[in-house]
Amino acid sequence: MKSTDCREISLSYYGLVDLRIYCINERDAELFNSILREYLMPFLQVKAPTGQPHYTILLRQGDFDLVGSDWTPMTFLLDDAVSDFRFGVEKHYSPTRRDIFNPLNGTLFSISGTEVEIIYVTKNALVKDIQRVIKQLLITKIENAGGAVLHASAFSLDGRAICYVGEKGQGKTTCLLESLKANGAKFITNDRLPIIPISGKFHVLGWFEELRLVQPSGGKKKS
């Protein structure tokens, strides 16, 4: 629930998806702005808060320990490189309202329609969890618009996008890094490539993801 003291930040993803971030206090706002500058820009840009956003996200630091027997176990992600987001629990209240709790870092995600409240414990937890939430919201919007998100890296050259598609450990990031040495080559994305139809043509979009190398033998990723 938003209060009148919330700090409000409006964002746009290439003019296609609008997000509105509400921070309970100045501390939360300063933390989110630092995350925005370091991890999300230039893919997300600050915009004037006009109209109704596609999604709203409320940030609040706090503790949550009310998980009971009516919560259901769930799997988030099975990836050796991600140690803080593997298993959790969820509780459904209605078809559009549910809570998800991550016991590994203490974050609670309270979801109601197009609104998500993130109750986080530490700065490090919020840095990762706000990106996870925004990514999932963008993917949902892209897929609902007839687009897709490929497991690929990509760069642009002479007005065209060139991408490398493949499974984990097949060299997508390595090829991308070599390609960026070409004169005029510009980074678009690594690991995830959003594609969306606009005016009868498919366009690729940039994506915020750290560059990580995976050993061909299936070893852990290296940042």
Side-chain angles (χ1 to χ4, degrees):
M1 184 70 66
K2 300 188 292 293
S3 73
T4 55
D5 296 328
C6 282
R7 277 65 172 174
E8 179 180 326
I9 304 168
S10 293
L11 304 173
S12 177
Y13 179 66
Y14 294 102
L16 300 173
V17 185
D18 291 337
L19 306 169
R20 193 158 297 162
I21 314 297
Y22 293 97
C23 303
I24 290 296
N25 53 46
E26 192 63 35
R27 179 194 58 203
D28 293 328
E30 290 178 357
L31 176 54
F32 176 74
N33 277 315
S34 69
I35 295 172
L36 176 63
R37 291 190 300 268
E38 186 170 351
Y39 298 96
L40 304 178
M41 298 178 73
F43 309 104
L44 291 171
Q45 291 291 325
V46 177
K47 66 183 290 288
T50 57
Q52 184 69 23
H54 296 100
Y55 303 104
T56 60
I57 301 173
L58 177 65
L59 305 180
R60 176 162 62 90
Q61 188 171 31
D63 294 315
F64 180 81
D65 57 2
L66 300 178
V67 174
S69 59
D70 53 346
W71 290 67
T72 304
M74 65 181 299
T75 300
F76 296 140
L77 181 67
L78 295 179
D79 188 332
D80 291 339
V82 183
S83 60
D84 66 327
F85 198 71
R86 299 175 65 83
F87 304 100
V89 291
E90 64 178 342
K91 182 177 180 179
H92 285 260
Y93 302 91
S94 73
T96 60
R97 167 80 171 87
R98 64 173 174 157
D99 287 344
I100 298 174
F101 180 63
N102 181 359
L104 296 177
N105 64 9
T107 298
L108 175 71
F109 306 92
S110 186
I111 305 165
S112 180
T114 59
E115 298 183 0
V116 181
E117 181 178 9
I118 303 176
I119 302 176
Y120 67 97
V121 178
T122 67
K123 173 183 177 181
N124 289 338
L126 182 63
V127 167
K128 296 180 179 180
D129 287 332
I130 186 65
Q131 293 186 73
R132 289 168 178 145
V133 168
I134 291 177
K135 286 175 181 178
Q136 187 55 56
L137 295 177
L138 295 181
I139 289 173
T140 298
K141 192 65 178 177
I142 289 169
E143 292 179 343
N144 288 343
V149 179
L150 304 181
H151 192 189
S153 62
F155 67 100
S156 66
L157 185 64
D158 297 331
R160 293 182 177 273
I162 301 171
C163 65
Y164 299 106
V165 182
E167 297 297 326
K168 182 171 66 174
Q170 297 302 305
K172 297 184 302 300
T173 300
T174 301
C175 290
L176 172 64
L177 293 175
E178 287 298 316
S179 299
L180 290 175
K181 296 177 182 179
N183 186 33
K186 296 181 179 179
F187 175 87
I188 295 178
T189 183
N190 179 61
D191 200 50
R192 292 291 183 268
L193 176 63
I195 298 179
I196 191 167
I198 302 176
S199 300
K201 295 182 179 180
F202 280 96
H203 295 254
V204 301
L205 306 174
W207 195 249
F208 43 103
E209 193 89 45
E210 64 180 350
L211 290 173
R212 297 184 296 177
L213 296 177
V214 179
Q215 301 304 306
S217 60
K220 293 185 178 181
K221 296 180 179 180
K222 294 184 177 181
S223 299

